[in-house]
Amino acid sequence: MSEMIINTAKIVRQVVLQQVQAIQEELFDIQTAGFNNTIRWNVGHMIYWMDKYSSLSFSSPSAIPGSYDKLYNSGTKPLDWTFAPPSKEELVEILTAQLSRLSELTPEMLGEKLSTPFAMGPLQFNTAGELFNFALIHEAIHLGTISSQLKVLSR
């Protein structure tokens, strides 16, 4: 089962990379009606939280710039940014680096108990695998949001 989660993580990230690479950067910062954020924000948010979930799940050090917290954490939005966000190229580089790190995961790592259970609202995660599996769901949600934003932009 754990091996399937790792394989799914790689596939989801590959789909994210393919989709993001195909989007013209001019579309990254258009906030369409009905959406709280932009494509750039959603891509950065996926990067930020994959890094955060990996740190929480596997005690790995953060591998993203500290500025990403102010840009892409939950509750942030482009209208509040006070400095330039990373380019599409930088975002793609980090997405790719995170994909490479997914290959380092082992089924045993997913079975490890978290040092402290991670609570998110009514949800509680006790193992690395539970939290990491949620990270994949989170990524898929934001990929769907990006796809919806692209549909609105292409009208």
PDB file of all heavy atoms in Angstrom, residues 50-71:
ATOM      1  N   MET A  50       3.803  21.010   0.005  1.00  0.00           N
ATOM      2  CA  MET A  50       4.528  19.738  -0.153  1.00  0.00           C
ATOM      3  C   MET A  50       5.806  19.776   0.685  1.00  0.00           C
ATOM      4  O   MET A  50       6.167  18.798   1.341  1.00  0.00           O
ATOM      5  CB  MET A  50       4.857  19.463  -1.627  1.00  0.00           C
ATOM      6  CG  MET A  50       5.572  18.137  -1.839  1.00  0.00           C
ATOM      7  SD  MET A  50       4.677  16.669  -1.274  1.00  0.00           S
ATOM      8  CE  MET A  50       3.518  16.469  -2.619  1.00  0.00           C
ATOM      9  N   ASP A  51       6.472  20.926   0.690  1.00  0.00           N
ATOM     10  CA  ASP A  51       7.665  21.090   1.514  1.00  0.00           C
ATOM     11  C   ASP A  51       7.312  20.962   2.996  1.00  0.00           C
ATOM     12  O   ASP A  51       7.975  20.264   3.757  1.00  0.00           O
ATOM     13  CB  ASP A  51       8.310  22.452   1.227  1.00  0.00           C
ATOM     14  CG  ASP A  51       9.597  22.663   1.984  1.00  0.00           C
ATOM     15  OD1 ASP A  51      10.636  22.112   1.570  1.00  0.00           O
ATOM     16  OD2 ASP A  51       9.566  23.396   3.009  1.00  0.00           O
ATOM     17  N   LYS A  52       6.242  21.626   3.408  1.00  0.00           N
ATOM     18  CA  LYS A  52       5.810  21.609   4.809  1.00  0.00           C
ATOM     19  C   LYS A  52       5.395  20.196   5.230  1.00  0.00           C
ATOM     20  O   LYS A  52       5.808  19.699   6.283  1.00  0.00           O
ATOM     21  CB  LYS A  52       4.650  22.593   4.991  1.00  0.00           C
ATOM     22  CG  LYS A  52       4.172  22.756   6.406  1.00  0.00           C
ATOM     23  CD  LYS A  52       5.146  23.465   7.280  1.00  0.00           C
ATOM     24  CE  LYS A  52       4.948  24.951   7.207  1.00  0.00           C
ATOM     25  NZ  LYS A  52       5.907  25.668   8.054  1.00  0.00           N
ATOM     26  N   TYR A  53       4.578  19.538   4.402  1.00  0.00           N
ATOM     27  CA  TYR A  53       4.145  18.178   4.740  1.00  0.00           C
ATOM     28  C   TYR A  53       5.322  17.212   4.775  1.00  0.00           C
ATOM     29  O   TYR A  53       5.367  16.316   5.606  1.00  0.00           O
ATOM     30  CB  TYR A  53       3.092  17.667   3.747  1.00  0.00           C
ATOM     31  CG  TYR A  53       1.745  18.355   3.870  1.00  0.00           C
ATOM     32  CD1 TYR A  53       1.079  18.816   2.740  1.00  0.00           C
ATOM     33  CD2 TYR A  53       1.118  18.531   5.094  1.00  0.00           C
ATOM     34  CE1 TYR A  53      -0.158  19.433   2.837  1.00  0.00           C
ATOM     35  CE2 TYR A  53      -0.117  19.156   5.207  1.00  0.00           C
ATOM     36  CZ  TYR A  53      -0.751  19.596   4.068  1.00  0.00           C
ATOM     37  OH  TYR A  53      -1.969  20.208   4.171  1.00  0.00           O
ATOM     38  N   SER A  54       6.287  17.399   3.882  1.00  0.00           N
ATOM     39  CA  SER A  54       7.474  16.533   3.893  1.00  0.00           C
ATOM     40  C   SER A  54       8.281  16.751   5.165  1.00  0.00           C
ATOM     41  O   SER A  54       8.772  15.799   5.775  1.00  0.00           O
ATOM     42  CB  SER A  54       8.347  16.807   2.665  1.00  0.00           C
ATOM     43  OG  SER A  54       7.678  16.413   1.503  1.00  0.00           O
ATOM     44  N   SER A  55       8.410  18.011   5.580  1.00  0.00           N
ATOM     45  CA  SER A  55       9.126  18.308   6.829  1.00  0.00           C
ATOM     46  C   SER A  55       8.416  17.676   8.025  1.00  0.00           C
ATOM     47  O   SER A  55       9.051  17.079   8.891  1.00  0.00           O
ATOM     48  CB  SER A  55       9.237  19.815   7.034  1.00  0.00           C
ATOM     49  OG  SER A  55      10.056  20.390   6.048  1.00  0.00           O
ATOM     50  N   LEU A  56       7.092  17.804   8.055  1.00  0.00           N
ATOM     51  CA  LEU A  56       6.320  17.249   9.167  1.00  0.00           C
ATOM     52  C   LEU A  56       6.316  15.721   9.146  1.00  0.00           C
ATOM     53  O   LEU A  56       6.406  15.079  10.192  1.00  0.00           O
ATOM     54  CB  LEU A  56       4.874  17.764   9.117  1.00  0.00           C
ATOM     55  CG  LEU A  56       4.673  19.250   9.399  1.00  0.00           C
ATOM     56  CD1 LEU A  56       3.276  19.683   8.983  1.00  0.00           C
ATOM     57  CD2 LEU A  56       4.900  19.540  10.881  1.00  0.00           C
ATOM     58  N   SER A  57       6.216  15.149   7.955  1.00  0.00           N
ATOM     59  CA  SER A  57       6.118  13.686   7.831  1.00  0.00           C
ATOM     60  C   SER A  57       7.445  12.984   8.034  1.00  0.00           C
ATOM     61  O   SER A  57       7.507  11.934   8.668  1.00  0.00           O
ATOM     62  CB  SER A  57       5.582  13.305   6.442  1.00  0.00           C
ATOM     63  OG  SER A  57       4.274  13.779   6.254  1.00  0.00           O
ATOM     64  N   PHE A  58       8.503  13.564   7.476  1.00  0.00           N
ATOM     65  CA  PHE A  58       9.773  12.840   7.426  1.00  0.00           C
ATOM     66  C   PHE A  58      10.913  13.573   8.126  1.00  0.00           C
ATOM     67  O   PHE A  58      12.070  13.192   7.995  1.00  0.00           O
ATOM     68  CB  PHE A  58      10.154  12.571   5.961  1.00  0.00           C
ATOM     69  CG  PHE A  58       9.017  11.992   5.169  1.00  0.00           C
ATOM     70  CD1 PHE A  58       8.429  12.714   4.142  1.00  0.00           C
ATOM     71  CD2 PHE A  58       8.501  10.742   5.477  1.00  0.00           C
ATOM     72  CE1 PHE A  58       7.362  12.191   3.421  1.00  0.00           C
ATOM     73  CE2 PHE A  58       7.435  10.216   4.768  1.00  0.00           C
ATOM     74  CZ  PHE A  58       6.865  10.937   3.738  1.00  0.00           C
ATOM     75  N   SER A  59      10.591  14.646   8.836  1.00  0.00           N
ATOM     76  CA  SER A  59      11.593  15.448   9.550  1.00  0.00           C
ATOM     77  C   SER A  59      12.702  15.933   8.621  1.00  0.00           C
ATOM     78  O   SER A  59      13.841  16.100   9.035  1.00  0.00           O
ATOM     79  CB  SER A  59      12.199  14.656  10.713  1.00  0.00           C
ATOM     80  OG  SER A  59      11.191  14.278  11.620  1.00  0.00           O
ATOM     81  N   SER A  60      12.352  16.153   7.361  1.00  0.00           N
ATOM     82  CA  SER A  60      13.350  16.659   6.414  1.00  0.00           C
ATOM     83  C   SER A  60      13.396  18.184   6.504  1.00  0.00           C
ATOM     84  O   SER A  60      12.378  18.824   6.757  1.00  0.00           O
ATOM     85  CB  SER A  60      13.007  16.212   4.992  1.00  0.00           C
ATOM     86  OG  SER A  60      11.709  16.647   4.635  1.00  0.00           O
ATOM     87  N   PRO A  61      14.567  18.760   6.324  1.00  0.00           N
ATOM     88  CA  PRO A  61      14.663  20.221   6.390  1.00  0.00           C
ATOM     89  C   PRO A  61      13.941  20.854   5.203  1.00  0.00           C
ATOM     90  O   PRO A  61      13.841  20.246   4.134  1.00  0.00           O
ATOM     91  CB  PRO A  61      16.171  20.480   6.325  1.00  0.00           C
ATOM     92  CG  PRO A  61      16.744  19.277   5.668  1.00  0.00           C
ATOM     93  CD  PRO A  61      15.846  18.126   6.022  1.00  0.00           C
ATOM     94  N   SER A  62      13.454  22.042   5.406  1.00  0.00           N
ATOM     95  CA  SER A  62      12.797  22.763   4.315  1.00  0.00           C
ATOM     96  C   SER A  62      13.792  22.968   3.179  1.00  0.00           C
ATOM     97  O   SER A  62      14.968  23.224   3.404  1.00  0.00           O
ATOM     98  CB  SER A  62      12.289  24.117   4.818  1.00  0.00           C
ATOM     99  OG  SER A  62      11.719  24.831   3.736  1.00  0.00           O
ATOM    100  N   ALA A  63      13.278  22.848   1.957  1.00  0.00           N
ATOM    101  CA  ALA A  63      14.135  22.995   0.789  1.00  0.00           C
ATOM    102  C   ALA A  63      13.635  24.120  -0.127  1.00  0.00           C
ATOM    103  O   ALA A  63      13.908  24.119  -1.314  1.00  0.00           O
ATOM    104  CB  ALA A  63      14.200  21.675   0.026  1.00  0.00           C
ATOM    105  N   ILE A  64      12.875  25.057   0.457  1.00  0.00           N
ATOM    106  CA  ILE A  64      12.358  26.179  -0.324  1.00  0.00           C
ATOM    107  C   ILE A  64      12.777  27.488   0.338  1.00  0.00           C
ATOM    108  O   ILE A  64      13.078  27.513   1.536  1.00  0.00           O
ATOM    109  CB  ILE A  64      10.821  26.123  -0.484  1.00  0.00           C
ATOM    110  CG1 ILE A  64      10.118  26.144   0.884  1.00  0.00           C
ATOM    111  CG2 ILE A  64      10.409  24.903  -1.297  1.00  0.00           C
ATOM    112  CD1 ILE A  64       8.611  26.261   0.814  1.00  0.00           C
ATOM    113  N   PRO A  65      12.778  28.578  -0.433  1.00  0.00           N
ATOM    114  CA  PRO A  65      13.130  29.873   0.159  1.00  0.00           C
ATOM    115  C   PRO A  65      12.155  30.263   1.276  1.00  0.00           C
ATOM    116  O   PRO A  65      10.957  29.971   1.199  1.00  0.00           O
ATOM    117  CB  PRO A  65      13.013  30.846  -1.019  1.00  0.00           C
ATOM    118  CG  PRO A  65      13.182  29.991  -2.243  1.00  0.00           C
ATOM    119  CD  PRO A  65      12.573  28.661  -1.876  1.00  0.00           C
ATOM    120  N   GLY A  66      12.663  30.930   2.288  1.00  0.00           N
ATOM    121  CA  GLY A  66      11.835  31.369   3.404  1.00  0.00           C
ATOM    122  C   GLY A  66      10.722  32.312   2.994  1.00  0.00           C
ATOM    123  O   GLY A  66       9.675  32.380   3.650  1.00  0.00           O
ATOM    124  N   SER A  67      10.911  33.027   1.902  1.00  0.00           N
ATOM    125  CA  SER A  67       9.904  33.983   1.435  1.00  0.00           C
ATOM    126  C   SER A  67       8.606  33.299   1.005  1.00  0.00           C
ATOM    127  O   SER A  67       7.547  33.939   0.957  1.00  0.00           O
ATOM    128  CB  SER A  67      10.453  34.801   0.265  1.00  0.00           C
ATOM    129  OG  SER A  67      10.777  33.947  -0.822  1.00  0.00           O
ATOM    130  N   TYR A  68       8.665  32.012   0.724  1.00  0.00           N
ATOM    131  CA  TYR A  68       7.465  31.305   0.272  1.00  0.00           C
ATOM    132  C   TYR A  68       6.378  31.285   1.343  1.00  0.00           C
ATOM    133  O   TYR A  68       5.201  31.205   1.025  1.00  0.00           O
ATOM    134  CB  TYR A  68       7.818  29.881  -0.166  1.00  0.00           C
ATOM    135  CG  TYR A  68       8.379  29.797  -1.571  1.00  0.00           C
ATOM    136  CD1 TYR A  68       9.314  30.716  -2.035  1.00  0.00           C
ATOM    137  CD2 TYR A  68       7.987  28.798  -2.440  1.00  0.00           C
ATOM    138  CE1 TYR A  68       9.836  30.643  -3.315  1.00  0.00           C
ATOM    139  CE2 TYR A  68       8.500  28.707  -3.730  1.00  0.00           C
ATOM    140  CZ  TYR A  68       9.427  29.642  -4.155  1.00  0.00           C
ATOM    141  OH  TYR A  68       9.931  29.559  -5.429  1.00  0.00           O
ATOM    142  N   ASP A  69       6.770  31.372   2.607  1.00  0.00           N
ATOM    143  CA  ASP A  69       5.783  31.407   3.685  1.00  0.00           C
ATOM    144  C   ASP A  69       4.886  32.633   3.542  1.00  0.00           C
ATOM    145  O   ASP A  69       3.666  32.538   3.686  1.00  0.00           O
ATOM    146  CB  ASP A  69       6.484  31.411   5.048  1.00  0.00           C
ATOM    147  CG  ASP A  69       5.498  31.417   6.199  1.00  0.00           C
ATOM    148  OD1 ASP A  69       4.749  30.425   6.334  1.00  0.00           O
ATOM    149  OD2 ASP A  69       5.458  32.410   6.946  1.00  0.00           O
ATOM    150  N   LYS A  70       5.466  33.784   3.236  1.00  0.00           N
ATOM    151  CA  LYS A  70       4.692  35.025   3.104  1.00  0.00           C
ATOM    152  C   LYS A  70       3.888  35.073   1.808  1.00  0.00           C
ATOM    153  O   LYS A  70       2.878  35.761   1.719  1.00  0.00           O
ATOM    154  CB  LYS A  70       5.623  36.227   3.172  1.00  0.00           C
ATOM    155  CG  LYS A  70       6.183  36.488   4.560  1.00  0.00           C
ATOM    156  CD  LYS A  70       7.046  37.733   4.555  1.00  0.00           C
ATOM    157  CE  LYS A  70       7.536  38.158   5.903  1.00  0.00           C
ATOM    158  NZ  LYS A  70       7.944  37.147   6.815  1.00  0.00           N
ATOM    159  N   LEU A  71       4.328  34.326   0.808  1.00  0.00           N
ATOM    160  CA  LEU A  71       3.645  34.325  -0.483  1.00  0.00           C
ATOM    161  C   LEU A  71       2.560  33.258  -0.589  1.00  0.00           C
ATOM    162  O   LEU A  71       1.486  33.516  -1.147  1.00  0.00           O
ATOM    163  CB  LEU A  71       4.661  34.100  -1.614  1.00  0.00           C
ATOM    164  CG  LEU A  71       5.726  35.171  -1.820  1.00  0.00           C
ATOM    165  CD1 LEU A  71       6.782  34.682  -2.805  1.00  0.00           C
ATOM    166  CD2 LEU A  71       5.095  36.471  -2.297  1.00  0.00           C
TER     167      LEU A  71
END
